[in-house]
Amino acid sequence: MCGIFGVCNNNESAKLTYLGLYALQHRGQESAGIISSDGKKFSNKVGNGLVSDVFLKKDFSRLKGFNAVGHVRYSTFGSSSITNAQPFAINFVDGNLAIAHNGNLCNAELLKNKLERDGSIFQTSTDTEVILHLVAKSKKKTIEEKIIDALLHVKGAYSLLFLSGKKLIAVRDPYGFRPLCIGKLKNSYIVSSESCAFDLVGAKYVRDVEPGEIVSISDDELKSRRFSKNGKNAFCIFEFIYFARPDSLVFGKSVYTIRKNLGKELAKESQPNADNVISVPDSANVAAVGFSTESKIPYEIGFIRNHYIGRTFIEPKQEIRNFGAKIKYNPVCETLKEKKIVLVDDSVVRGTTSRKLIKMLRNAGVKKIHHRISSPPIKHPCFYGIDTPKMSELIASRKSVKEIKEFFGVDTLHYLSLDGLIKATGMEKDNFCLACFTGEYPIKKADNCR
Ligand code: 5GP
Ligand code: SF4
Ligand code: MG
């Protein structure tokens, strides 16, 4: 999961990109970077850490030009070292070319080996660099044709932004795994992973980049071309469940509305007798509101989340039980003591968070815990840009729901059904990738490699 943001035709392109990345920070906290362009020369600043840590005020007098692309990174392929931080740029016969990528290429290793045998020298260990080498090798005439030519070799999930000459070019893979949308700010075009970044810079959402579409923007002119007719969408349904910010439009739909619907469907499927609904903040807040609305069980704040946790922290030698979870969440005893509660979470991956939080609830004096998850059990790994653990680490691939209930130590446990999940979106099932629940991968299994 990463966030990408680009601006075309604005004399404050780098500053706007900074703000855009700030709004997309939830999509990646490992590194952040901006490349700006005046049509000829690139300027860049890339570093490890949060957007607010990487960029200093003085950087913006250097980040000149009318166009810019930015990236926040959450690594899925390649190590998290600084050489892998994006955006990247190369200089080849056609001049400078910069790239920012959200997604994961399934056949990157294969392509990289082939390119290296043909003499290419790679600077990074990322899948993204493969695309730049393929573009540079293409014999086609225009940059758009070269990008299309390169992408014909590539399999997997990619939402991409390129800077080349005076152009900002946006591409979404034929399945549309990851979101990408276009906004307008006066005479400037903006492209972003999520629309919440438009709100911050005062831009208006125009439309999504369509699956298999390449959009080339120069000055205030936008040209579009379909490079692939896949005919099968595979939007990542986890964008609605967990990844995207609820104030965003993703795949043209309000994340808030769908996330609230997830909670409503969950309440319809399994409504216990309880005093209060609480959420695991912040990711399950909206689903919990939906659960409360549908069930008429009042919503309360059960945990306070500390938002100021840095990368490293010091743990005292003397053992503090559940330290990892405690530093992030603290139960509000006043709302929990002697209560029967519904605990809503968005998803369970390894199950370690839930287990610790449940212990904390018991210590706070909760009488009954009805655990409700606003997505089905995750049984299969993701190959399309999400860093899910190996199958053996996914609790639902090893244990039945009954065994998980016992492991968590809750009174009842219910996961949203696949039907309930689809219903909440108001969209047709075949628009989505559901592979982490069903094991049915949109791209042939043989091509799914990490
Ligand atoms: P775990 O079960 O592994 O202890 O934690 C699951 C929780 O971590 C989820 O409730 C979710 O809010 C959060 N989370 C963080 N990263 C991811 C991710 O990549 N995928 C999913 N599904 N949840 C994640
Ligand atoms: Fe999204 Fe799951 Fe598909 Fe990965 S496997 S793209 S997380 S729905
Ligand atoms: Mg969570």
Side-chain angles (χ1 to χ4, degrees), residues 38-76:
D38 62 7
K40 291 193 188 87
K41 206 174 139 278
F42 279 179
S43 314
N44 82 317
K45 175 77 193 261
V46 177
N48 279 335
L50 300 176
V51 174
S52 57
D53 297 330
V54 169
F55 300 99
L56 306 172
K57 206 168 173 189
K58 64 173 192 208
D59 294 327
F60 293 90
S61 53
R62 217 173 35 76
L63 288 165
K64 290 202 172 75
F66 288 83
N67 294 352
V69 288
H71 187 271
V72 284
R73 177 160 204 255
Y74 175 98
S75 68
T76 51

Side-chain angles (χ1 to χ4, degrees), residues 60-96:
F60 293 90
S61 53
R62 217 173 35 76
L63 288 165
K64 290 202 172 75
F66 288 83
N67 294 352
V69 288
H71 187 271
V72 284
R73 177 160 204 255
Y74 175 98
S75 68
T76 51
F77 186 98
S79 77
S80 55
S81 90
I82 185 70
T83 50
N84 288 339
Q86 292 192 35
F88 306 129
I90 52 161
N91 189 282
F92 72 124
V93 284
D94 285 6
N96 284 325

Side-chain angles (χ1 to χ4, degrees), residues 116-128:
E116 281 180 331
R117 276 199 304 274
D118 290 347
S120 293
I121 298 165
F122 279 77
Q123 316 267 335
T124 73
S125 63
T126 67
D127 54 345
T128 310

